[in-house]
Amino acid sequence: MKPKVAIFDFASCEGCELQIVNLEEAIIDVAKLVDIVEFREAMKESSDDYDIAIVEGSIARPIDEERLKKIRAKAKILIALGACAHLGGVQRLGNRFSPDENKKEVYHMARPEDISDGNPYFKEPRHRALDEVVKVDYTIPGCPINRVEFAKVLVALLTGKKPPIPDYPVCVECKKKENTCLYTVGGVCMGPVARGGCDAICPTYGGECEACRGYVSHPHEKAQMDVLAKYGLTAEEIMNRKTMFTSRYTEKKGGE
Amino acid sequence: MKIIKREDFKAFVNALIKDSGLDVEGVKAKGEKFAFGPLESADDLRLDYDVTLLPPKKYFLPQYEQLLKFDLSHPFSVDRPEYPRRKVVIGVHPYDIAAIRQMDSYFLDTDISANYLRRRKNTLIIGCDVMKVQEKAFFGSMGTGVMHSGYDLYLTDLGDRVAMEIGTEAGSDLLRYAKNIREASPVEVQKVKAMREAMAQKASRGLIVKPTGWHDLLEKNYESEVWKKQSDKCLGCGTCTLVCPTCFCYDIQDDLNLDLKTGERLRTWDGCLLRKFTEIGSGEVFRDDILDRYRHRFHRKGRYLPDRLGFVACVGCGRCASQCVPDIADPVNLINMLFEASPHLVQDSLSDPHTVRTDLQVIQTGDDAKMLHMPQAATIKRVEKLSAKETMFEITLDSGKTLGHTPGQFVEVSIMGMGEAPISVSSAPNGKSFEIVVRKVGDVTSKIHTMKAGDKVGIRGPFGRGFNVEGLKGRNILFIGGGIGIIPMRSFINYVLDHRKEYGEVTILYGCKEPCEMLFSKEVASWSKRDDIQHKRTVDKCPDGECWDGDLGVITTLIPKVKFDPKTTVAVVVGPPIMYKFVNRELLKLGVPEENIVVSLERRMKCGVGKCGHCQINGVYVCKEGPVFNYRDLKNLPEAFK
């Protein structure tokens, strides 16, 4: 019997789910391996009966927490899909400010009673990664995810192999692709501490790495910050680079 | 020397490109930098480049290379990769030619890699003189600015003309694609020579200690504060190793397709600066500290490879120096810093026979080249669960041959789609089959735990140096095994028991954490019944409800409880790293000579044939020179018992 897979989303742009759809012809092979029973972005059916839950998005409000816990209770395996589920996403930057400050900034046209805590959709939004709420079995990092890697993780799960998420910096794949290091042409990049597996797609097209896949397991953070300073960044600019996707690590250290 | 006009040279390159049987690669602009890549027109060729981002090593050891293909829908089906196409690489600088020759010596020395040899034999090298020196290059200091061989053709750009030197018959043969070639005049020959030497001069950067002195300098400064000072700035990103023309270390990965049937085993570049480089299945990382990794890279280049192959593995291209973001990878700076931090050293006193060898011959090989990573089919005959984590598998090779191992050696067990794991052979060499005991820790070992009699696995090996079973005949032997250390040791114990009369007094000490972890319990029980050996066993603790008939306490507590003559007994010690520290200390205290202590060490033996670089303890390859070592040979290796 093929394992049943359900794909869910929380606070996110759903771009990672789109990457699954973007597998194109390979999605037919995926469908041969698993039964997709729920996937809001690609099909209208839904089901409460699944073995593997693949979850995109960050967990912001009590109602999200509750829904995720229900998913966790039903799934044998729970996979965090993408940077929002893995790290809390870019939206986690909002955690630097109070919910009220955020609401004032974003919904300043709304009537206060509509966005108060009395409305569950607006209650105390604080963005968290999935594993800060429930147990997560596997994580597919990235913003968006690398769809080739998604397929590899699926293959690994079905064959009892540890999902092949690399634990080396982006520089490794960047060098193998023979890219010009951004630092050598006046740029900066988080590649030396960021987790690889993306095939260095941003530096390949001239963009700097923002560590959307989080850090490697043992980042040489101090050396990285020294390098950013050496390359002329101000403390604020360094902080911005450090928090774009990875404020989770800073929050943990009580830095914010 | 030949001379060809520029437009005729272009026509020559375009004629090569036109030949559909040839892949023509050359140096092209890549943004503000340069890179080797497929040439579509002679107009793209840039012989005026300073240095390429990656060295041409990528043509001989590609970033990703298929080692084999497999198909799981058949019992054991592995296939060779396709034969590489014929290539011409245009514009290789002399320092990169020197690096390719070092690579030849590395891959074509012993255990000749057929993958490498095929690519090497099918690739013609057209060298060229350096016209512009990159700021960080120091090939002039390394003696690699001028090469007299190692190329098929060699070019010097003279503006309106190009000078060509013929290096090989194959190179000469290429000239049939060219028109209007004439002999160079003596003036032209002189001009080329002068240009070349001037360029080599230019690429010297105040290296205080000549390459011939690096070995000494590094050896005497292993503990220098410079390592800490520099490595504190290291990002551990691996760039210095990835862009290096003389870094050859690689990893091996299996890639199973979405059909869950077909797939390939890939070789990909790895680097010793990366933390995972020394990680083994159980999660232990042997060079966890960045200082150790940073230091290892320089020592491998300046000491370990020179000791092994006779050359300093640096050609002065300056790639690491120019691409290291915190600027700590530059060999010139590092060597100078080390020298300046050790005022007691006199420059001239630093000497050793090693140099940057540029005269290495391409070893002519025929049939002795092997697909080093190709496993042979084998069948599991019997499965026996020994404990919660360990299971024994009896295996026979499908070829009908015996494994032919020495006790203490290991094999690489292959499960297609999962990968390979180094596993020691735990049976004595008798009969057609052999036994391995596998602890469930990683992908391969977990998968094999699900296998049953009749299932197929791949086997490579036996590898490494085992116990000196012949040389120890007649000697008294004290076996001290801790935990799963008993697994490799059992192959020797059983050999000794099979040939009991040929050895002197035999004592076996065996310790585990708890009774449930004891392996080979029936055999262990039989040791107690024998009157021709002494045997004691112990557990650290015995939880309530478990039966235990042996001693209580750590393994060292057994040593005073048995009688042996320290002067004449050879101690064979195998166990976890912590055990060596205490047991060896105890044995030395009792007066067992260092050369009479034999140990077996565990490292990440990925390739088994001394190529991938993962299992190194300082300069020693555990997969070749080990896993069995004499304590005397290890005690001067700081990384051995760290």
Side-chain angles (χ1 to χ4, degrees):
Chain A
M1 250 234 323
K2 290 195 282 186
K4 294 189 193 80
V5 173
I7 301 169
F8 302 103
D9 43 57
F10 288 82
S12 63
C13 74
E14 301 176 23
C16 291
E17 285 163 88
L18 194 61
Q19 286 298 309
I20 301 174
V21 180
N22 281 350
L23 276 167
E24 295 176 353
E25 60 261 50
I27 205 159
I28 298 166
D29 297 319
V30 171
K32 282 182 197 157
L33 298 178
V34 294
D35 258 335
I36 303 177
V37 295
E38 173 154 356
F39 186 3
R40 197 183 52 79
E41 194 169 87
M43 56 197 259
K44 56 180 187 292
E45 293 85 351
S46 78
S47 170
D48 272 345
D49 177 21
Y50 43 85
D51 306 299
I52 302 172
I54 299 176
V55 182
E56 176 177 352
S58 64
I59 304 305
R61 305 155 303 188
I63 50 166
D64 299 326
E65 194 172 325
E66 205 178 310
R67 182 173 158 236
L68 179 67
K69 283 178 177 162
K70 278 185 187 155
I71 293 170
R72 174 70 265 190
K74 284 177 197 154
K76 290 192 191 88
I77 293 172
L78 189 139
I79 301 173
L81 186 75
C84 299
H86 171 210
L87 302 165
V90 182
Q91 60 271 33
R92 192 172 194 144
L93 286 169
N95 290 6
R96 291 194 200 184
F97 311 98
S98 74
D100 282 343
E101 278 176 290
N102 286 335
K103 284 179 197 172
K104 212 184 282 172
E105 180 71 24
V106 180
Y107 303 106
H108 56 275
M109 308 279 278
R111 289 182 302 178
E113 61 269 32
D114 287 345
I115 57 170
S116 72
D117 276 1
N119 181 345
Y121 295 107
F122 286 92
K123 195 178 176 193
E124 312 161 8
R126 294 283 83 180
H127 290 276
R128 283 158 298 163
L130 301 190
D131 68 352
E132 292 169 275
V133 180
V134 296
K135 179 175 171 274
V136 169
D137 300 296
Y138 302 104
T139 297
I140 304 175
C143 178
I145 58 154
N146 171 354
R147 56 182 180 269
V148 177
E149 194 173 67
F150 173 82
K152 281 186 200 291
V153 169
L154 215 51
V155 167
L157 280 181
L158 294 172
T159 51
K161 196 174 171 174
K162 210 173 99 218
I165 306 293
D167 190 14
Y168 51 67
V170 167
C171 298
V172 172
E173 284 154 0
C174 200
K175 291 296 165 318
K176 285 182 190 174
K177 287 186 97 170
E178 204 163 2
N179 291 333
T180 299
C181 178
L182 289 170
Y183 283 100
T184 65
V185 289
V188 291
C189 180
M190 290 295 278
V193 285
R195 186 184 289 267
C198 52
D199 216 12
I201 187 156
C202 295
T204 301
Y205 292 98
E208 69 177 78
C209 170
E210 293 176 321
C212 72
R213 297 168 61 91
Y215 291 159
V216 289
S217 62
H218 294 73
H220 295 198
E221 258 193 278
K222 183 173 177 307
Q224 171 68 10
M225 297 314 141
D226 289 348
V227 157
L228 291 177
K230 188 181 138 192
Y231 279 77
L233 267 66
T234 62
E236 197 193 341
E237 286 170 323
I238 293 174
M239 211 51 203
N240 286 346
R241 257 132 190 120
K242 234 183 128 171
T243 47
M244 182 66 167
F245 282 97
T246 51
S247 59
R248 167 176 193 173
Y249 304 119
T250 335
E251 268 180 34
K252 260 190 184 167
K253 287 174 197 153
E256 292 293 325
Chain B
M1 188 182 287
K2 312 274 181 198
I3 295 288
I4 185 168
K5 279 193 185 145
R6 176 158 288 278
E7 56 267 31
D8 291 324
F9 174 72
K10 278 194 174 180
F12 164 62
V13 174
N14 283 329
L16 290 174
I17 293 169
K18 238 176 126 184
D19 185 335
S20 59
L22 274 182
D23 286 346
V24 181
E25 307 271 334
V27 178
K28 301 189 291 186
K30 183 166 182 174
E32 298 171 29
K33 313 274 175 183
F34 296 96
F36 281 97
L39 271 187
E40 279 161 23
S41 156
D43 293 333
D44 299 336
L45 183 66
R46 291 287 298 272
L47 293 182
D48 61 335
Y49 79 101
D50 52 358
V51 69
T52 52
L53 287 160
L54 286 181
K57 92 173 164 188
K58 64 180 181 180
Y59 293 121
F60 309 103
L61 185 74
Q63 290 93 321
Y64 301 92
E65 179 184 30
Q66 190 183 64
L67 292 173
L68 56 87
K69 297 179 270 191
F70 55 83
D71 185 346
L72 303 178
S73 45
H74 303 289
F76 188 87
S77 164
V78 289
D79 214 351
R80 292 167 162 244
E82 268 143 46
Y83 211 86
R85 275 171 57 86
R86 217 168 127 75
K87 265 195 182 70
V88 180
V89 182
I90 309 177
V92 183
H93 277 166
Y95 51 82
D96 276 336
I97 294 175
I100 292 168
R101 310 209 82 179
Q102 294 196 351
M103 213 171 171
D104 288 347
S105 143
Y106 189 80
F107 285 105
L108 304 177
D109 185 12
T110 53
D111 289 308
I112 293 155
S113 159
N115 292 58
Y116 180 84
L117 185 67
R118 286 163 154 202
R119 291 185 189 279
R120 186 73 173 84
K121 279 193 161 174
N122 253 0
T123 306
L124 292 166
I125 293 172
I126 303 186
C128 82
D129 269 325
V130 182
M131 289 293 138
K132 198 167 119 199
V133 178
Q134 194 257 126
E135 185 197 354
K136 295 284 174 88
F138 56 102
F139 51 82
S141 310
M142 302 303 287
T144 55
V146 182
M147 289 295 291
H148 299 289
S149 61
Y151 51 81
D152 297 285
L153 283 178
Y154 195 88
L155 313 172
T156 310
D157 195 339
L158 298 172
D160 57 341
R161 292 151 296 160
V162 175
M164 283 181 165
E165 273 165 87
I166 296 168
T168 62
E169 241 173 78
S172 166
D173 190 44
L174 270 188
L175 291 182
R176 70 194 149 87
Y177 292 86
K179 285 194 188 104
N180 307 326
I181 301 176
R182 65 168 169 83
E183 284 300 324
S185 71
V187 176
E188 283 167 326
V189 172
Q190 207 47 48
K191 188 179 173 190
V192 167
K193 204 175 159 223
M195 271 177 66
R196 206 171 274 167
E197 273 157 20
M199 204 51 75
Q201 280 295 316
K202 245 173 129 178
S204 299
R205 284 184 37 223
L207 179 68
I208 300 173
V209 181
K210 283 182 288 204
T212 47
W214 288 17
H215 189 283
D216 254 13
L217 181 74
L218 288 165
E219 191 170 9
K220 289 180 176 144
N221 285 288
Y222 190 84
E223 302 290 350
S224 169
E225 283 166 14
V226 169
W227 301 116
K228 165 112 180 80
K229 190 177 163 213
Q230 293 296 88
S231 64
D232 271 351
K233 298 180 224 161
C234 183
L235 295 163
C237 68
T239 295
C240 54
T241 57
L242 294 159
V243 302
C244 177
T246 60
C247 272
F248 313 128
C249 293
Y250 59 82
D251 193 14
I252 304 167
Q253 295 158 359
D254 278 18
D255 200 356
L256 182 63
N257 296 326
L258 272 170
D259 61 9
L260 302 191
K261 286 193 181 86
T262 58
E264 57 183 355
R265 181 161 290 172
L266 292 169
R267 155 153 80 187
T268 182
W269 293 355
D270 205 345
C272 59
L273 263 295
L274 300 168
R275 185 176 172 273
K276 291 260 162 182
F277 189 75
T278 55
E279 189 186 64
I280 57 170
S282 61
E284 188 161 356
V285 175
F286 289 98
R287 257 179 247 120
D288 199 3
D289 191 338
I290 184 63
L291 187 154
D292 292 326
R293 305 205 289 279
Y294 178 80
R295 173 168 57 194
H296 178 79
R297 170 176 172 254
F298 286 102
H299 279 255
R300 177 162 157 104
K301 300 211 162 293
R303 266 180 79 197
Y304 308 151
L305 280 182
D307 281 343
R308 199 166 281 278
L309 297 165
F311 55 74
V312 172
C314 172
V315 293
C317 68
R319 287 186 179 92
C320 58
S322 62
Q323 295 193 52
C324 172
V325 177
D327 193 16
I328 49 162
D330 185 358
V332 176
N333 281 351
L334 190 273
I335 292 290
N336 288 356
M337 280 175 86
L338 276 185
F339 183 76
E340 278 156 10
S342 47
H344 56 285
L345 289 179
V346 183
Q347 198 174 335
D348 293 340
S349 72
L350 296 169
S351 71
D352 85 324
H354 308 304
T355 178
V356 183
R357 293 264 306 273
T358 55
D359 59 337
L360 300 164
Q361 291 301 307
V362 175
I363 300 151
Q364 292 301 318
T365 46
D367 299 335
D368 44 351
K370 283 175 286 195
M371 303 299 283
L372 294 178
H373 296 281
M374 192 62 78
Q376 55 174 318
T379 306
I380 296 173
K381 288 288 164 192
R382 190 172 61 87
V383 179
E384 186 184 336
K385 199 166 167 54
L386 297 185
S387 73
K389 282 191 222 150
E390 284 89 14
T391 301
M392 179 156 73
F393 298 86
E394 185 186 336
I395 293 171
T396 57
L397 300 176
D398 288 4
S399 65
K401 289 184 183 151
T402 55
L403 182 67
H405 71 287
T406 306
Q409 282 192 301
F410 69 97
V411 288
E412 293 283 350
V413 179
S414 234
I415 300 187
M416 293 303 147
M418 287 288 165
E420 281 186 308
I423 311 278
S424 36
V425 181
S426 65
S427 55
N430 48 12
K432 282 261 181 244
S433 62
F434 62 95
E435 289 163 353
I436 56 172
V437 175
V438 181
R439 171 175 272 198
K440 201 170 160 179
V441 282
D443 287 342
V444 178
T445 51
S446 299
K447 188 72 181 180
I448 195 169
H449 269 246
T450 67
M451 296 178 108
K452 50 192 190 310
D455 286 345
K456 299 280 182 192
V457 292
I459 296 289
R460 291 194 297 125
F463 293 126
R465 207 182 61 164
F467 297 104
N468 185 5
V469 290
E470 287 301 320
L472 292 179
K473 281 188 174 162
R475 306 287 297 267
N476 301 327
I477 299 181
L478 166 64
F479 291 100
I480 305 178
I484 55 173
I486 196 74
I487 297 169
M489 189 182 264
R490 173 183 178 253
S491 62
F492 191 15
I493 293 174
N494 285 352
Y495 184 88
V496 168
L497 297 181
D498 286 351
H499 303 80
R500 182 63 193 91
K501 289 206 174 83
E502 295 169 46
Y503 292 86
E505 289 171 18
V506 173
T507 307
I508 308 173
L509 306 181
Y510 176 25
C512 292
K513 280 196 187 125
E514 295 180 15
C516 64
E517 292 182 4
M518 183 130 297
L519 304 176
F520 313 113
S521 49
K522 270 186 217 152
E523 287 169 44
V524 171
S526 77
W527 296 340
S528 307
K529 294 189 189 116
R530 291 181 75 129
D531 53 12
D532 57 351
I533 55 171
Q534 288 187 87
H535 166 59
K536 283 212 168 289
R537 52 184 177 264
T538 186
V539 288
D540 295 355
K541 60 178 195 297
C542 182
D544 291 342
E546 280 195 54
C547 291
W548 180 242
D549 61 352
D551 288 43
L552 272 178
V554 293
I555 186 109
T556 39
T557 60
L558 291 184
I559 298 173
K561 295 181 186 165
V562 288
K563 276 187 206 138
F564 66 96
D565 176 9
K567 294 272 165 303
T568 61
T569 300
V570 172
V572 177
V573 187
V574 190
I578 187 76
M579 190 189 105
Y580 291 116
K581 204 172 144 191
F582 292 103
V583 169
N584 290 351
R585 192 160 68 195
E586 196 65 25
L587 293 171
L588 292 168
K589 213 159 71 187
L590 289 171
V592 178
E594 282 172 353
E595 62 269 25
N596 285 357
I597 301 176
V598 175
V599 301
S600 174
L601 296 186
E602 188 182 13
R603 286 296 185 278
R604 186 176 169 203
M605 284 95 84
K606 190 85 196 178
C607 74
V609 289
K611 305 286 184 211
C612 78
H614 291 94
C615 69
Q616 266 187 271
I617 295 176
N618 295 103
V620 166
Y621 288 163
V622 176
C623 74
K624 299 281 277 187
E625 285 101 45
V628 174
F629 292 98
N630 196 301
Y631 178 78
R632 186 195 50 201
D633 299 335
L634 283 180
K635 66 163 191 169
N636 293 324
L637 300 179
E639 291 182 343
F641 298 110
K642 212 177 168 185

